[in-house]
Amino acid sequence: MFLIKQAAVYAPEYLGVRDVLVCGNQIEAIEEEINLPLSCCQVIDGRGKKLTPGILDPHVHITGGGGEGSFHTQVPPVVLSQLVEGGVTSLVGLLGTDGISRNTENLLAKTKALKEEGLSVYACTGSYGFPSTTLTDSVSKDITFVDEIIGVKLALSDHRAPNVTLDELIRLGSDVRVAGMLSGKCGIVVLHMGSDDRALSLVNEALDKTSIPIKTFHPTHVTRTNQLRDEAFAFAKRGGYIDMTCGSAREGRPADCVRLAKEQGVPMERITMSSDGMGSWSHYDSEGKLVAIGYSAVDTCYKELKYMVQECKMPLEEALCFMTSNTARSLELYPRKGCVCVGADADLLLLDEQMDLEMVMAGGKLLMQDRQLVGIDEEAENAHILEAAKKLWGSLNNRVY
């Protein structure tokens, strides 16, 4: 049992200075003051600090992304310390371009491994391609019978996409919708959105011609072009969820796009943010030749949160929603996830005055305390990451910038 004393609680709405009692994996009580014998619980001093929900990242390449520059450009799998240091307590793992040398089996194995280490982890079957890479040879069966699988991945409007037809997209959306209903899950199609001019046209056509709920389709990377961004804003106004990818300081940065969305009347509760962690970024010339490649970190949601609050002067309770409560609602996990309330999972962050991480708790398990990782061999993990990164970057020579 843990008793967090006198922290400023952001649930994500501000609740005031409170004591928070954690029993097992859940929040048991939130009161102005809770007095218990010191022998029955571990007390964590929250004075002068902010207590928030843990980050729920809906887009992480937990087995590594990349490979578009051949086998030596594959990105290494994520390790626990990377996620904890990014404040991530819950996440969705998925595949990317490569659904051939990577498959649902190793994705699911990594999902289970991270769960065993203390995080809440879900997964999407499929990859960029179509027909989808699956475990059971059926997207519907994967979602219905595999506890961790909540949806499917697909790429649209991208030169690496399978260029599905309207009928194929409708069939996939219908199958996922029904499988989600049968298994009590959100049942979503996570759409990697590329930068070509088709943007969300196929998705809008599918919605216009069927009664598939708009919540079934979750487009991500929606700020990569102005056209896609504007169509995504219209999609959100129509009632859908749109996901912005963190990690860029250039045009399309989520903080700037949120400001623009607010000016245009986009419902803020329909915007989520993700890291695309361990997924590769790549640039191509006019002939489609790879000229630069690298990969994304898993702490970019946390960094974007700090940027929105410290640089953009956005209230913390507003900024938090994009990577906590909004995401939990989009995945139909709220209020068990994405908030600080009685009965919710004890996924909690403690931030100091500078918004640096002091504590990370996932499911009632301490993974960071007093800025130090708990029970994680960071040195061994860092050695693994460094070796893999050197291999990736060194072999690309001057093609990586």
Side-chain angles (χ1 to χ4, degrees):
M1 227 173 13
F2 295 94
L3 180 57
I4 304 168
K5 296 287 291 181
Q6 295 300 287
V9 178
Y10 290 81
E13 67 277 9
Y14 181 56
L15 300 183
V17 175
R18 296 287 186 271
D19 288 357
V20 177
L21 179 65
V22 172
C23 297
N25 65 349
Q26 290 189 333
I27 298 171
E28 185 67 24
I30 304 172
E31 304 288 348
E32 289 188 5
E33 189 171 3
I34 300 173
N35 294 308
L36 291 172
L38 295 180
S39 59
C40 73
C41 61
Q42 180 176 339
V43 177
I44 298 172
D45 187 2
R47 288 174 299 180
K49 302 181 179 69
K50 300 173 178 65
L51 187 72
T52 76
I55 290 171
L56 202 175
D57 191 333
H59 197 112
V60 184
H61 294 269
I62 57 176
T63 57
E68 291 96 332
S70 195
F71 299 105
H72 63 281
T73 65
Q74 290 188 341
V75 179
V78 72
V79 294
L80 179 62
S81 61
Q82 293 173 299
L83 294 163
V84 173
E85 290 173 339
V88 178
T89 57
S90 303
L91 63 148
V92 179
L94 31 65
L95 300 176
T97 313
D98 183 6
I100 300 171
S101 71
R102 295 179 173 92
N103 54 42
T104 309
E105 286 86 346
N106 55 47
L107 176 70
L108 193 57
K110 184 65 174 178
T111 298
K112 291 178 180 294
L114 290 170
K115 286 175 64 179
E116 289 174 357
E117 291 182 297
L119 302 184
S120 296
V121 191
Y122 311 89
C124 284
T125 194
S127 59
Y128 277 21
F130 185 86
S132 305
T133 301
T134 62
L135 184 70
T136 65
D137 296 324
S138 163
V139 169
S140 297
K141 288 181 180 178
D142 277 14
I143 296 171
T144 302
F145 295 116
V146 182
D147 288 345
E148 293 85 355
I149 295 178
I150 61 173
V152 67
K153 174 81 174 286
L154 180 70
L156 292 181
S157 304
D158 192 290
H159 64 98
R160 297 159 293 182
N163 296 301
V164 295
T165 65
L166 175 61
D167 286 344
E168 287 170 336
L169 181 61
I170 289 172
R171 172 53 50 209
L172 185 62
S174 298
D175 289 347
V176 168
R177 163 65 173 165
V178 172
M181 294 172 65
L182 294 175
S183 57
K185 301 173 184 174
C186 56
I188 56 173
V189 183
V190 175
L191 296 168
H192 162 97
M193 299 305 304
S195 56
D196 72 36
D197 292 339
R198 291 170 292 177
L200 284 167
S201 59
L202 198 65
V203 181
N204 287 323
E205 191 173 358
L207 292 171
D208 290 340
K209 292 189 174 183
T210 71
S211 56
I212 299 172
I214 193 170
K215 75 180 186 69
T216 303
F217 297 107
H218 285 224
T220 188
H221 316 316
V222 299
T223 65
R224 69 165 77 243
T225 70
N226 290 344
Q227 179 190 348
L228 177 59
R229 180 202 64 207
D230 292 343
E231 290 190 21
F233 286 178
F235 184 84
K237 289 179 180 179
R238 190 174 177 176
Y241 285 99
I242 59 174
D243 186 64
M244 300 180 178
T245 306
C246 300
S248 173
R250 302 188 298 271
E251 185 178 5
R253 181 163 192 165
D256 298 330
C257 291
V258 163
R259 188 184 302 114
L260 182 62
K262 184 181 292 187
E263 292 172 358
Q264 295 186 12
V266 177
M268 293 293 101
E269 67 272 13
R270 292 291 164 175
I271 298 174
T272 67
M273 293 183 186
S274 64
S275 68
D276 196 21
M278 310 311 288
S280 67
W281 53 261
S282 49
H283 301 310
Y284 302 83
D285 64 18
S286 59
E287 297 180 350
K289 180 181 177 181
L290 180 68
V291 295
I293 190 170
Y295 65 90
S296 304
V298 295
D299 64 353
T300 54
C301 287
Y302 167 59
K303 288 181 176 177
E304 193 70 9
L305 176 67
K306 291 183 69 174
Y307 175 78
M308 287 189 288
V309 173
Q310 295 178 337
E311 303 298 327
C312 301
K313 307 305 178 184
M314 186 182 295
L316 177 58
E317 52 266 45
E318 181 180 347
L320 272 171
C321 292
F322 303 119
M323 50 202 70
T324 59
S325 56
N326 288 4
T327 311
R329 286 190 171 95
S330 77
L331 301 178
E332 298 181 9
L333 298 172
Y334 190 89
R336 186 166 62 86
K337 298 288 184 185
C339 63
V340 181
C341 69
V342 174
D345 288 353
D347 299 333
L348 301 168
L349 308 180
L350 202 57
L351 308 173
D352 68 13
E353 291 285 345
Q354 290 73 45
M355 289 191 61
D356 292 330
L357 278 172
E358 291 267 352
M359 181 203 78
V360 177
M361 179 181 290
K365 179 181 179 181
L366 273 181
L367 297 175
M368 177 188 289
Q369 187 175 17
D370 298 327
R371 306 185 186 219
Q372 300 298 313
L373 296 173
V374 178
I376 302 172
D377 189 346
E378 186 179 15
E379 185 175 344
E381 288 192 341
N382 285 342
H384 165 75
I385 298 165
L386 183 60
E387 181 180 357
K390 282 181 177 178
K391 182 178 179 182
L392 171 68
W393 290 80
S395 61
L396 286 171
N397 297 319
N398 294 330
R399 288 189 295 152
V400 179
Y401 301 94

